[in-house]
Amino acid sequence: MTFTTLPAKPDTGLGCVDTEQKQSWASAIDSYSGRALYTMLTLVRDKNLDI
């Protein structure tokens, strides 16, 4: 799962990050915290709220 935020993600200057995905965050959903984040983001999207 990837998502973006407002304001934009701070530039970390990592050279290994794909430039097209640089402003995206990622989370694995195979852990409790990842599933909790996924649930929260789904709720936010469904209510058309900004992150």
Side-chain angles (χ1 to χ4, degrees):
M1 166 185 62
T2 61
F3 60 97
T4 57
T5 58
L6 296 172
K9 179 180 178 182
D11 186 2
T12 59
L14 297 175
C16 61
V17 177
D18 180 20
T19 56
E20 291 184 22
Q21 297 298 324
K22 197 171 191 175
Q23 294 301 320
S24 297
W25 296 89
S27 177
I29 58 172
D30 60 352
S31 66
Y32 290 117
S33 59
R35 285 191 294 273
L37 180 60
Y38 178 80
T39 301
M40 181 207 51
L41 291 171
T42 302
L43 178 65
V44 167
R45 184 199 60 206
D46 290 346
K47 295 190 177 287
N48 293 320
L49 301 173
D50 290 336
I51 297 175

